Amino acid sequence: MNKIERLALFTSGGDAPGMNACVRAVVRTALSHDLRVYGILRGYQGMIEDEFKPLTSRSVSNIIQRGGTILKTARSKEFMTEAGMDKAYANLKSHQIDGIVAIGGDGTFKGAEAFCTRFPDIKIMGIPGTIDNDLSGTDYTLGFDTAVNTVIEAVDKIRDTAASHDRCFLIEVMGRDSGCIALWSGLAGGAEEILLPEKPTDFDVLVSKLEEGKGNNKTSSIILVAEGEKNGGAAEVADELKKRLPHYETKVTVLGHVQRGGSPSAFDRILGAKLGVWAVEALLSGDSRKMVGIRNGEKHFLPFSEASREQEPLDLELLRINNILSK
Ligand code: F6P
């Protein structure tokens, strides 16, 4: 087993609250094992452009509560080419890096797997960081809990107006390929309906549910729509509803990037701390090409090749529960 002496870490893909808490955990765990630590700015793109920065314990002071990522982030197309990977490898070698911690989502791990296949001497451990919570191998990704709390704060406010004006609100939340944020915030926010990319919207069912609610003296309704909903999102669903229910006053709110920012919840900070410590310890014990996640409260490792979003089924039990409770 090759001993790791120099570790680099980076964040990649969409930023997520809790990434900084995790960066702090990785840096301080590595330092406690006497490793030299480098932060790579802007993910894989910074690896290609040689943006390496030595980090000390003080470099990660006062960041535990901050959203975003102090290491910055990017989605790099160049890294997906052999030439890009070769440049990145040359830079890693010039800084004598032998171990990497990559914090990101599906695309980050696909990149890491391709890189380790080309350059097996570089050991990489991944940490799931995305508000979408769409990765297999972990019950929670960094940032998801904070994002859901941000969404329900907004839903609660919109509900005040919906109830006061007897309106039907469609609230669009993030999730290009995953309905997890919509599902969790829909249930937590008491939504009448939750529309997901994973399940085609049946307008006949939606209309009869809204009409049934009216019959039961419901005067307002909240519909959570994931941005990846197959009709195109909340605006498109609203257009169809207006045709079918012209007597409804229908409004659309798109929450957008407010969901990605903000101070991480206690849950995301603790998750970041655990995953950061576990990732470094795994690298030191010779592990590589895996994501470390959390399953039923326990540390759980999954090879990058299996940690994709395609393999993570949505918990449709939550939808069933919401259907019972939203009558
Ligand atoms: O981080 C994941 C995600 O939030 C998706 O839900 C969303 O579609 C996407 O990022 C948008 O990211 P950006 O605006 O950075 O392209």
Side-chain angles (χ1 to χ4, degrees), residues 7-11 23 27 36-43 46-47 50-56 59-60 70-71 95 97 101:
L7 178 139
L9 76 155
F10 64 87
T11 49
V23 165
V27 170
R36 297 273 291 275
V37 186
Y38 291 81
I40 305 172
L41 303 183
R42 286 172 242 283
M47 207 188 279
D50 200 17
E51 293 189 81
F52 289 64
K53 183 174 142 183
L55 296 177
T56 66
S59 315
V60 292
I70 60 157
L71 295 179
H95 293 282
I97 305 294
V101 174

Side-chain angles (χ1 to χ4, degrees), residues 93-311:
K93 283 284 148 187
S94 80
H95 293 282
Q96 297 167 277
I97 305 294
D98 33 28
I100 293 179
V101 174
I103 307 171
D106 186 70
T108 307
F109 302 145
K110 286 200 166 83
E113 178 60 13
F115 193 74
C116 289
T117 303
R118 194 165 172 77
F119 303 110
D121 57 315
I122 303 289
K123 310 288 177 220
I124 309 185
M125 285 301 298
I127 294 179
T130 161
I131 63 164
D132 290 344
N133 202 32
D134 59 349
L135 290 168
S136 50
T138 190
D139 291 339
Y140 300 103
T141 57
L142 282 176
F144 172 67
D145 181 69
T146 308
V148 168
N149 280 295
T150 301
V151 171
I152 60 164
E153 209 182 310
V155 170
D156 292 350
K157 288 179 178 156
I158 290 169
R159 180 178 288 285
D160 290 344
T161 302
S164 305
H165 285 265
D166 296 341
R167 286 176 179 166
C168 169
F169 266 91
L170 290 123
I171 305 174
E172 184 175 296
V173 298
M174 276 189 164
R176 195 165 25 201
D177 303 295
S178 162
C180 221
I181 295 176
L183 189 54
W184 282 61
S185 18
L187 180 56
E192 271 60 41
E193 268 299 325
I194 306 171
L195 308 183
L196 309 163
E198 293 87 347
K199 201 171 168 292
T201 301
D202 184 331
F203 280 98
D204 293 337
V205 172
L206 180 58
V207 165
S208 65
K209 179 114 190 258
L210 290 172
E211 288 293 71
E212 195 190 321
K214 268 239 151 115
N216 287 332
N217 300 322
K218 269 197 189 228
T219 55
S220 63
S221 38
I222 302 276
I223 303 176
L224 259 284
V225 187
E227 64 174 326
E229 191 274 340
K230 292 293 179 259
N231 293 287
E236 286 72 12
V237 173
D239 288 345
E240 185 60 31
L241 274 184
K242 277 178 202 157
K243 279 187 217 147
R244 294 179 182 233
L245 296 169
H247 51 295
Y248 272 56
E249 198 182 350
T250 307
K251 296 277 178 186
V252 172
T253 303
V254 178
L255 295 184
H257 287 82
V258 291
Q259 296 160 89
R260 282 247 291 262
S263 183
S265 64
F267 181 90
D268 277 327
R269 297 180 199 197
I270 292 166
L271 185 63
K274 284 181 172 173
L275 298 180
V277 170
W278 292 342
V280 174
E281 288 175 350
L283 269 180
L284 289 170
S285 69
D287 236 342
S288 180
R289 297 173 91 146
K290 287 179 191 152
M291 181 194 89
V292 58
I294 192 152
R295 276 273 189 235
N296 303 319
E298 301 286 331
K299 171 169 44 172
H300 183 80
F301 294 101
L302 196 73
F304 285 144
S305 53
E306 293 167 39
S308 70
R309 74 158 67 93
E310 293 83 23
Q311 294 178 45

